[in-house]
């Protein structure tokens, strides 16, 4: 079961060819005072998995969250155009770590594991026109840090460094597969 409202995570999970349903977790995503982007992503991924597991105690539940980390400051989903412009202006010419956390929980078996993929992304020194053209084309207002590398957003970047190629999109499938196997889910 996927505890997420993200269409990106839903699309990624279908790659594993396992049956699953989706339940929206009821979790407040407000950062705690002094909470680092890494801590925030891990806390929210686990909270989402636990919230859905409480409703479906027999299910193996996947929760995930992604936070863009710009020099220790969390950048979440912009929600609207002006905030996306602001985020991309902050990130131009900078290295941003996308913290993609994953939790797998099954209450019936007392299984609970978390993992984190850190994706180092170097943004080009973007012009205001490039930012505006990108936002008009992609409208990535539901993506942490306003960037969608799986589309035109790849043109915003100098480089991506990670060990799990789907982590930047929102669900690190290598780690997901490992945790699902540990929880007893047969994948192949």
């Amino acid at each position: 079961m996927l505890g997420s409202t993200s269409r990106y995570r839903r699309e990624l999970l279908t790659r594993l060819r396992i049956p699953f349903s989706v339940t929206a977790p009821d979790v407040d995503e407000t950062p705690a005072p002094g909470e680092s982007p890494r801590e925030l992503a891990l806390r929210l991924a686990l909270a989402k998995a636990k919230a859905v597991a409480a409703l479906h105690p027999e299910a193996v539940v996947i929760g995930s969250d992604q936070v863009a980390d710009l020099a220790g400051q969390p950048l979440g989903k912009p929600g609207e155009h002006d905030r996306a412009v602001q985020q991309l202006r902050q990130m131009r010419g900078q290295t941003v770590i996308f913290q993609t956390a994953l939790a797998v929980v099954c209450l019936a078996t007392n299984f609970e594991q978390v993992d984190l993929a850190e994706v180092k992304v170097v943004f080009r020194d973007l012009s205001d026109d490039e930012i505006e053209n990108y936002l008009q084309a992609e409208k990535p207002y539901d993506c942490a840090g306003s960037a969608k590398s799986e589309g035109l957003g790849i043109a915003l970047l100098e480089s991506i460094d990670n060990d799990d190629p789907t982590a930047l999109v929102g669900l690190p499938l290598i780690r997901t597969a490992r945790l699902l196997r540990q929880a007893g889910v047969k994948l192949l």
Side-chain angles (χ1 to χ4, degrees):
M1 176 166 285
L2 179 62
S4 177
T5 58
S6 168
R7 66 177 190 235
Y8 309 108
R9 289 189 185 103
R10 188 170 37 251
E11 290 168 9
L12 286 169
L13 190 56
T14 62
R15 293 183 188 183
L16 295 182
R17 298 184 181 188
I18 55 174
F20 69 93
S21 58
V22 177
T23 300
D26 184 17
V27 172
D28 179 3
E29 296 191 25
T30 306
E35 188 172 40
S36 72
R38 181 181 197 279
E39 292 166 337
L40 174 61
L42 285 165
R43 178 178 60 81
L44 292 178
L46 186 57
K48 290 174 181 181
K50 284 182 169 183
V52 173
L55 301 172
H56 305 278
E58 299 295 321
V60 174
V61 180
I62 300 165
S64 186
D65 195 76
Q66 184 177 71
V67 179
D69 179 347
L70 177 60
Q73 295 301 311
L75 299 177
K77 299 171 189 167
E80 50 93 21
H81 185 82
D82 290 340
R83 185 158 167 191
V85 169
Q86 177 187 13
Q87 284 185 346
L88 288 172
R89 284 179 177 166
Q90 287 177 283
M91 294 187 299
R92 61 180 157 202
Q94 301 295 313
T95 298
V96 179
I97 307 298
F98 284 80
Q99 308 280 0
T100 307
L102 164 71
V104 175
V105 172
C106 180
L107 294 181
T109 62
N110 292 318
F111 184 85
E112 178 179 306
Q113 292 288 322
V114 295
D115 203 345
L116 181 80
E118 294 185 327
V119 182
K120 180 180 170 184
V121 177
V122 179
F123 280 79
R124 293 179 36 253
D125 189 11
L126 305 165
S127 70
D128 286 347
D129 282 344
E130 287 176 310
I131 290 171
E132 187 62 31
N133 291 339
Y134 167 69
L135 291 176
Q136 290 302 322
E138 290 279 330
K139 301 191 183 339
Y141 309 132
D142 61 345
C143 297
S146 307
K148 281 177 42 176
S149 65
E150 66 273 25
L152 182 60
I154 201 72
L156 303 172
L157 310 178
E158 286 289 337
S159 65
I160 299 172
D161 183 18
N162 72 342
D163 65 354
D164 202 331
T166 58
L168 189 55
V169 181
L171 185 64
L173 286 180
I174 293 171
R175 286 168 171 81
T176 301
R178 180 172 46 241
L179 292 185
L180 288 173
R181 285 191 303 271
Q182 289 174 7
V185 176
K186 293 190 185 329
L187 297 178
L188 297 173

